[in-house]
Amino acid sequence: MWAAAPLLLLLLLLLLLPLVWLCRRGAARLEPAGRAVLITGCDSGFGHLLALRLHRLGFTVFAGCLCPGGDGARRLQQEAGGAGRLRVLQLDVTCARDVRAAKELVLSHLPERGFWGLVNNAGISTFGETGWLPMETYEKFADVNLLGSIRTTLAFLPLLRKYKGRIVFMSSIIAYFTLGNGIYSMTKAAIEKFCDALRLEMKKFGVQVCIIQPGNYAPSTKIQPPVSAEQIWSELSEEEKAVYNKEYVEERANFFNSILSEGSTNGSEVVDAMVDALTSPAPKARYMVANLKEKALVFLCALFPTVVMDSVLSYALSK
C-alpha cells in the first residue's frame, strides 16, 4: 500500500495541475501601460508586426533593428505614429557594443512600471546540405540565431529578475526535424535547450520563459527568400561538385522552394502567441503555431524511433 503512495500522489498532481492552470488563465490579463518591452529583429517579419501590436496595446516598445535607417525601421516609426512609446534603436545581436548601448537606452527611458519583457526574435535562415556550406556560414548562423539570443538575455537578466518579467524566444518546428536547412534546424534545437535550462532557473525569481514554435511562415516573414540553384552550384567547392551533379542541386532547390511557397501569409497568428506569452497570467512554456500536417510531423518525430523517421523523411526528400 505505502509503495503505491508516490504513484497515487503523482496521479493526483497530474489531475490537479490542469485545473490550477485554467484558474490562472482565467485571471486578469496584464496591464501594458507603463511597462517596457525590447524586441530584436524588428526590421521586418514577426518582430515588426509585434512591435506595432504591443505599441497599440499600450506598452513602451524598444524596437531593435539591424538597419535603423532602413525602409523597415522607417516604416515602423511611421506606422506607430512617429515619436512616443515606440523607439527604434540600432541592435545587431552579434555585436556586444550594440547590446550594451541598447541596455543603456532602455535604462535611461524606463517607464514607471519598469522592464517587463525581452523578445529574442532576430534570426536568419538559408538552404543547403551539410557539405555545401562553408564554416563561416555555420559560425554566422550560430552567432545570430543562438549566441545573439543568449547575448541579449544575459545583458537584460538583472532587469528581468528585478521586475519579474518575461523572456520570449523565437524557435521553430524545424527544431524537431530538417528538410534541407539543417543549419537553421541546428540553431533552433540549441536555443530550445538553452530555454529549457533558463526556464527552470528563472522560476525562483518569478521570471517566466516562453518559446514560440512557428510552422512554415516564410511568405509572411521573408526570412528565407527563394533559393537559386545556379548560385548554389557556383559556390560549391570542386570536391562537392565531384559528388553532386547540377541536376541534383536543381532538384533540391526546387523542392525547397515549393515548401517555401506553401507557407502561411498570416503572420498575425504567430504574433497572437507572442502577445499571449507576454500578457497572459499563465503563459505556456511552448506555443506551437503550425498547421495540422506540421503538428502531426512533430508528433511523429517525438513518438517514433529515429530509424523510422529517417526513412519517412528520406522518402519525402526522394520525391
Side-chain angles (χ1 to χ4, degrees):
M1 176 182 175
W2 295 110
L7 180 59
L8 292 172
L9 181 59
L10 177 61
L11 290 173
L12 182 62
L13 286 173
L14 290 174
L15 289 171
L16 290 177
L17 279 174
L19 296 175
V20 173
W21 184 79
L22 286 172
C23 289
R24 290 181 61 194
R25 293 286 292 182
R29 297 184 77 81
L30 178 84
E31 173 54 52
R35 287 185 165 93
V37 176
L38 171 70
I39 311 165
T40 68
C42 292
D43 301 81
S44 61
F46 297 137
H48 190 102
L49 295 173
L50 180 65
L52 290 173
R53 179 81 69 84
L54 295 183
H55 176 259
R56 289 167 188 154
L57 287 173
F59 283 99
T60 295
V61 179
F62 295 91
C65 292
L66 182 62
C67 302
D71 292 340
R74 286 199 297 269
R75 192 170 68 253
L76 183 59
Q77 289 177 312
Q78 291 169 358
E79 291 167 331
R85 286 180 292 97
L86 189 146
R87 292 176 178 270
V88 170
L89 62 146
Q90 165 74 40
L91 184 51
D92 177 351
V93 296
T94 70
C95 177
R97 183 176 61 251
D98 275 12
V99 175
R100 287 195 299 269
K103 184 178 180 180
E104 291 171 4
L105 180 67
V106 169
L107 283 170
S108 61
H109 293 88
L110 271 183
E112 59 271 21
R113 290 181 175 174
F115 189 70
W116 176 250
L118 170 64
V119 181
N120 287 301
N121 167 74
I124 53 176
S125 177
T126 193
F127 164 80
E129 296 199 2
T130 302
W132 298 0
L133 305 170
M135 189 61 202
E136 291 78 15
T137 302
Y138 283 93
E139 291 171 346
K140 179 181 179 181
F141 269 71
D143 204 10
V144 176
N145 292 359
L146 175 60
L147 299 180
S149 292
I150 296 173
R151 190 174 287 112
T152 52
T153 298
L154 294 179
F156 285 90
L157 266 186
L159 275 177
L160 290 160
R161 286 193 294 251
K162 178 179 179 180
Y163 292 104
K164 301 184 187 302
R166 307 272 173 93
I167 316 175
V168 179
F169 290 84
M170 182 59 68
S171 180
S172 169
I173 63 167
I174 292 297
Y176 296 96
F177 60 88
T178 179
L179 286 172
N181 54 349
I183 189 170
Y184 184 71
S185 180
M186 171 195 76
T187 59
K188 293 307 181 182
I191 203 65
E192 292 250 352
K193 292 301 104 182
F194 174 75
C195 291
D196 285 344
L198 184 67
R199 185 177 60 255
L200 293 174
E201 294 165 2
M202 290 297 106
K203 280 183 179 294
K204 56 182 172 287
F205 300 108
V207 176
Q208 301 198 59
V209 179
C210 304
I211 302 172
I212 311 296
Q213 300 172 315
N216 181 3
Y217 282 84
S220 175
T221 64
K222 303 294 190 297
I223 187 174
Q224 174 66 67
V227 298
S228 165
E230 194 66 39
Q231 182 178 351
I232 294 170
W233 181 254
S234 68
E235 294 176 354
L236 288 184
S237 66
E238 292 305 316
E239 290 89 347
E240 293 300 308
K241 286 181 178 179
V243 176
Y244 300 96
N245 58 43
K246 195 171 184 179
E247 289 72 23
Y248 178 86
V249 174
E250 289 174 349
E251 287 175 2
R252 282 292 174 267
N254 291 337
F255 171 77
F256 192 67
N257 285 335
S258 69
I259 292 177
L260 293 177
S261 65
E262 294 170 359
S264 174
T265 59
N266 187 12
S268 62
E269 296 171 341
V270 179
V271 174
D272 289 343
M274 299 165 85
V275 170
D276 191 80
L278 288 166
T279 62
S280 170
K284 302 176 186 177
R286 282 176 167 83
Y287 291 80
M288 186 174 293
V289 190
N291 62 37
L292 184 60
K293 184 170 70 174
E294 291 168 334
K295 289 180 178 178
L297 186 53
V298 170
F299 177 76
L300 291 174
C301 287
L303 183 66
F304 284 93
T306 301
V307 65
V308 175
M309 290 312 302
D310 281 354
S311 298
V312 171
L313 294 174
S314 294
Y315 178 78
L317 286 168
S318 70
K319 295 299 179 181

